Amino acid sequence: MNPERTAIVINPAAGRRDGDLGVLRERFGDAMPRLVYESSPERDVDACARAALAEGAETILAAGGDGTVSLVASALVGTSATLGVLPLGTSNSIAEALGLPGDLDAALAVMRECAPRRIDTARANGRTMVLTASLGVYADTIGSTDRESKNRWGLLAYIATAVEKLLSIEPFEVEIEAEGQRFRCEAAAVTVANLAPRRCVFAQGPRCVDPEDGLLDVTIVSARGFAEALAVGVHLFRTAGREPASRDDVAFFSTRALKVSAAPPQRMIVDGEDVEDAALTVECLPASLAVLAPAPAREGGGL
């Protein structure tokens, strides 16, 4: 990373103390990037990333959580600029799924040794999607975990919310259109994944979620009740990255694009942000984003 051609976009609301600009200057030392942008109510993360591009930045480091990284990525999709991830959020799912350590210094060390590689992103209801789009219990869990709880408890905040949502899980009817086909089924959660770490269990129907195959991976969970949903979660966590799910209440397939609608309407989340539309429409954008991340191990396939 050339400091003269590298920018940092910092989200001070990401929730980690080491995301402070002074701390980052200490970590980088003489290699501190020349361009630094800190988001504010007057200038959001996306605007900061676009300003960095306008200044000629070739690499933009997103300092924050998944929301920050996703917004920076949205500005870089389709350009020659490269995204770097400084994992300073609560879950850091993008960093983990890309094979980057959760520790800031370790992540920097890995990125300094990496050549850029291109991964897929997706367009979901008009916005860039790096990780997942979902509806149902998984979306409820992500969307209902408040910032104060995440700052205080970290990943435990999501677990507490997940237990609460699973205790009141209610299946719904879903209609999916993909590859010229349309079908209906009952579901408790539908997750469309471009990139997903192992702990995003409701995205782990296939053996692996590959962000370089030009396809979206769709997992449909139709569990009823807390005990069944919990059993599904444990199963998917154990099989993630190893083998496809083998339970009758889990279905999965890959597609280039799809449309999902639910009755009654369900909460929908794209990369952690609420979507207020009546249906979820997602299209894969192959090799649309350059990232600083280690090449995935391909033995047996997948990330």
Side-chain angles (χ1 to χ4, degrees):
M1 292 182 287
N2 179 352
E4 294 300 312
R5 294 292 185 179
T6 301
I8 295 180
V9 174
I10 305 172
N11 178 7
R16 290 248 304 256
R17 292 179 181 177
D18 50 359
D20 176 82
L21 180 55
V23 173
L24 288 178
R25 291 190 186 280
E26 290 179 7
R27 299 291 180 86
F28 276 92
D30 294 339
M32 181 68 183
R34 176 176 64 87
L35 300 171
V36 178
Y37 300 84
E38 191 168 6
S39 66
S40 67
E42 293 74 34
R43 184 168 67 171
D44 63 15
V45 170
D46 181 75
C48 289
R50 295 188 187 281
L53 286 175
E55 285 291 320
E58 296 175 351
T59 300
I60 300 181
L61 305 177
D66 291 326
T68 302
V69 178
S70 184
L71 284 171
V72 172
S74 72
L76 273 56
V77 166
T79 74
S80 60
T82 300
L83 171 71
V85 182
L86 302 182
L88 299 173
T90 303
S91 65
N92 300 311
S93 293
I94 295 176
E96 181 180 336
L98 288 174
L100 292 169
D103 176 76
L104 177 58
D105 290 327
L108 274 171
V110 170
M111 284 190 289
R112 287 185 178 118
E113 298 299 320
C114 289
R117 64 183 178 99
R118 299 198 74 84
I119 65 169
D120 305 335
T121 62
R123 199 74 180 156
N125 288 45
R127 66 181 68 190
T128 297
M129 183 187 99
V130 179
L131 282 167
T132 63
S134 60
L135 55 122
V137 67
Y138 180 67
D140 280 342
T141 297
I142 300 300
S144 298
T145 306
D146 61 75
R147 168 54 57 189
E148 182 179 353
S149 296
K150 288 189 285 187
N151 287 348
R152 184 175 184 182
W153 301 108
L155 288 174
L156 290 176
Y158 288 112
I159 294 173
T161 305
V163 171
E164 176 187 343
K165 297 299 179 182
L166 291 176
L167 286 170
S168 58
I169 192 170
E170 289 286 345
F172 52 89
E173 294 297 318
V174 64
E175 180 178 278
I176 298 177
E177 298 176 50
E179 307 292 342
Q181 303 293 318
R182 178 183 298 180
F183 64 92
R184 294 181 177 88
C185 62
E186 184 179 81
V190 178
T191 306
V192 183
N194 173 66
L195 183 70
R198 187 180 181 189
R199 65 168 175 269
C200 294
V201 293
F202 279 12
Q204 304 296 336
R207 190 188 61 75
C208 68
V209 178
D210 186 349
E212 298 180 40
D213 62 359
L215 296 169
L216 302 164
D217 292 298
V218 184
T219 299
I220 304 166
V221 173
S222 58
R224 285 179 168 272
F226 177 82
E228 192 170 312
L230 184 61
V232 169
V234 171
H235 175 74
L236 291 175
F237 184 78
R238 287 176 174 172
T239 58
R242 296 179 174 86
E243 58 190 40
S246 57
R247 288 180 59 97
D248 292 340
D249 48 12
V250 179
F252 56 90
F253 64 95
S254 297
T255 182
R256 291 183 295 273
L258 77 162
K259 180 179 180 180
V260 186
S261 54
Q266 300 293 308
R267 186 172 198 164
M268 295 189 295
I269 294 286
V270 175
D271 276 5
E273 300 296 325
D274 279 294
V275 173
E276 302 297 337
D277 302 320
L280 179 66
T281 302
V282 191
E283 178 184 4
C284 183
L285 304 176
S288 53
L289 178 66
V291 295
L292 278 178
R298 292 296 182 183
E299 183 180 350
L303 191 70

